[in-house]
């Protein structure tokens, strides 16, 4: 949706934390794009360049690196995730 920030997850298919990040965002009705990096060394290198991290998942909101599942959960617990997922003048997702 154009009025919502773009959420992007770099992931691998067998990573349980990637699945948990997808479930958390889905539960919050957040649309996200996913980039699989398991069999793509170039895309994994791009993820590392953008995030400064090698582990998956790596979550980005409007090109801002959020971190992995632990950081995503902490943002959610603190109430800061909803603020990041909305645009000024819109309701939280």
């Amino acid at each position: 949706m154009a009025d919502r920030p773009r959420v992007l997850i770099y992931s691998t298919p067998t990573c349980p934390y990637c699945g948990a990040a997808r479930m958390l965002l889905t539960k919050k009705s957040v649309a996200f794009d996913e980039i699989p990096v398991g069999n793509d060394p170039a895309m994994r290198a791009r993820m590392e360049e953008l995030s400064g991290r090698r582990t998956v998942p790596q979550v980005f909101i409007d090109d801002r690196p959020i971190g992995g599942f632990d950081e995503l959960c902490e943002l959610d617990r603190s109430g800061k995730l909803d603020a990041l997922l909305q645009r000024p003048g819109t309701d939280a997702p």
Side-chain angles (χ1 to χ4, degrees), residues 1 5-8 25 29-33:
M1 233 184 274
R6 180 175 186 229
V7 177
L8 182 63
L25 293 170
S29 300
V30 174
F32 58 89
D33 294 313

Side-chain angles (χ1 to χ4, degrees), residues 13-69:
T14 58
C15 166
Y17 294 103
C18 297
R22 286 189 292 269
M23 286 190 331
L24 174 67
L25 293 170
T26 300
K27 179 180 167 189
K28 296 181 78 58
S29 300
V30 174
F32 58 89
D33 294 313
E34 191 166 0
I35 297 178
V37 298
N39 294 322
D40 190 337
M43 194 55 69
R44 183 178 281 271
R46 177 74 176 144
M47 175 198 79
E48 290 176 22
E49 176 185 321
L50 293 171
S51 67
R53 297 177 179 199
R54 298 180 55 143
T55 58
V56 291
Q58 287 303 312
V59 180
F60 291 77
I61 299 176
D62 272 348
D63 298 324
R64 175 182 167 202
I66 298 304
F69 178 67

